[in-house]
């Protein structure tokens, strides 16, 4: 097990850890031909897997309408969450065809039977969700615009944000009324997890 990973990842089941490891191997293999993550951030376990995994504790016990992940890219955080919570249904929305192929292959190889890939732009699809997840896609103001059509009555958004999160929230409040909870990032001193409803 990599020595750098966070305590919550060190406590996962053997089966979960094995699937996460296989997912990292898929990321490393496909990264050579697809730009799944920025080349400056190829520290897979802490920078990407653990960062995504920290959302697991914020997922509800049940989600009848499932989780929708917007701009899934390489599957972060959604593939990690689908591995950790195989009881929930995940829909990964990715407009780039090649990245969508990678996601489909990852879902197949990892046996994520409750995970669906949609190769289209978020604005063009009609789905309902209990949770919207996003990592490294856009500023909060734009993310709320993308997310709103998907949200059911008691739904909320989970956004993984970096050091400028507070400025993004200030900007978003000019256009939106929302409730906000913030949680310190477990992998970045300046980052936050934003829970918005």
């Amino acid at each position: 097990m990599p020595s750098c990973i966070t305590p919550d990842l060190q406590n996962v089941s053997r089966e979960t850890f094995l699937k996460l490891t296989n997912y990292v191997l898929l990321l490393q293999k496909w990264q050579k031909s697809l730009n799944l993550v920025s080349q400056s951030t190829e520290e897979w376990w802490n920078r990407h897997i653990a960062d995504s995994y920290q959302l697991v504790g914020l997922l509800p016990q049940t989600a009848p309408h499932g989780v929708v992940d917007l701009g899934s890219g390489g599957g972060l955080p959604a593939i990690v969450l689908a591995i950790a919570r195989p009881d929930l249904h995940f829909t990964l929305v990715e407009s780039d065809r090649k990245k969508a192929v990678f996601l489909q292959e990852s879902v197949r190889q990892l046996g994520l039977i409750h995970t669906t890939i949609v190769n289209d732009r978020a604005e063009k699809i009609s789905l309902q969700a209990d949770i919207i997840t996003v990592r490294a896609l856009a500023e909060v103001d734009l993310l709320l615009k993308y997310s709103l059509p998907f949200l059911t009555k008691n739904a909320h958004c989970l956004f993984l944000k970096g050091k400028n999160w507070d400025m993004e929230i200030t900007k978003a409040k000019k256009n939106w009324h929302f409730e906000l909870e913030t949680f310190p990032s477990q992998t970045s001193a300046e980052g936050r997890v934003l829970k918005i409803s």
Side-chain angles (χ1 to χ4, degrees):
M1 182 178 289
S3 60
C4 61
I5 63 176
T6 57
D8 55 344
L9 264 185
Q10 292 171 11
N11 295 322
V12 301
S13 70
R14 184 175 179 277
E15 181 186 6
T16 298
F17 185 74
L18 183 60
K19 283 193 176 184
L20 290 172
T21 301
N22 288 336
Y23 174 50
V24 169
L25 293 174
L26 285 165
L27 283 167
Q28 291 171 335
K29 177 183 175 183
W30 286 65
Q31 175 72 2
K32 295 171 185 174
S33 56
L34 289 177
N35 189 28
L36 297 172
V37 301
S38 168
Q39 303 226 344
S40 64
T41 65
E42 285 187 32
E43 201 292 281
W44 298 102
W45 281 98
N46 189 59
R47 182 69 180 85
H48 298 295
I49 304 302
D51 189 50
S52 298
Y53 192 88
Q54 66 184 313
L55 295 186
V56 171
L58 297 175
L59 294 176
Q61 285 299 308
T62 60
H65 297 98
V67 180
V68 172
D69 184 65
L70 301 179
S72 296
L76 301 157
I79 295 283
V80 172
L81 300 178
I83 290 170
R85 289 293 305 274
D87 56 308
L88 299 181
H89 185 272
F90 290 82
T91 302
L92 282 61
V93 180
E94 174 53 50
S95 62
D96 183 286
R97 186 185 61 80
K98 290 181 180 178
K99 289 179 181 177
V101 169
F102 164 75
L103 293 171
Q104 195 66 59
E105 184 62 13
S106 297
V107 164
R108 186 187 69 80
Q109 289 199 32
L110 297 168
L112 303 176
I113 58 173
H114 296 299
T115 301
T116 304
I117 311 303
V118 177
N119 180 205
D120 210 338
R121 296 185 63 81
E123 312 92 278
K124 294 185 177 180
I125 61 177
S126 178
L127 286 172
Q128 287 193 311
D130 296 304
I131 307 288
I132 299 285
T133 58
V134 178
R135 182 178 187 259
L137 178 64
E139 289 192 5
V140 171
D141 186 52
L142 190 53
L143 293 180
L144 292 174
K145 179 182 176 183
Y146 289 154
S147 300
L148 188 62
F150 296 93
L151 296 174
T152 53
K153 184 179 179 183
N154 296 311
H156 60 269
C157 304
L158 296 173
F159 300 154
L160 288 157
K161 301 302 293 184
K163 62 182 180 180
N164 296 323
W165 67 272
D166 52 344
M167 288 189 289
E168 291 186 29
I169 288 293
T170 299
K171 182 178 175 182
K173 282 183 175 178
K174 295 175 182 177
N175 299 315
W176 303 93
H177 297 285
F178 53 85
E179 293 180 15
L180 171 69
E181 286 184 79
T182 66
F183 304 88
S185 170
Q186 297 174 20
T187 59
S188 164
E190 299 173 312
R192 295 290 186 278
V193 176
L194 308 182
K195 181 179 178 180
I196 297 176
S197 55

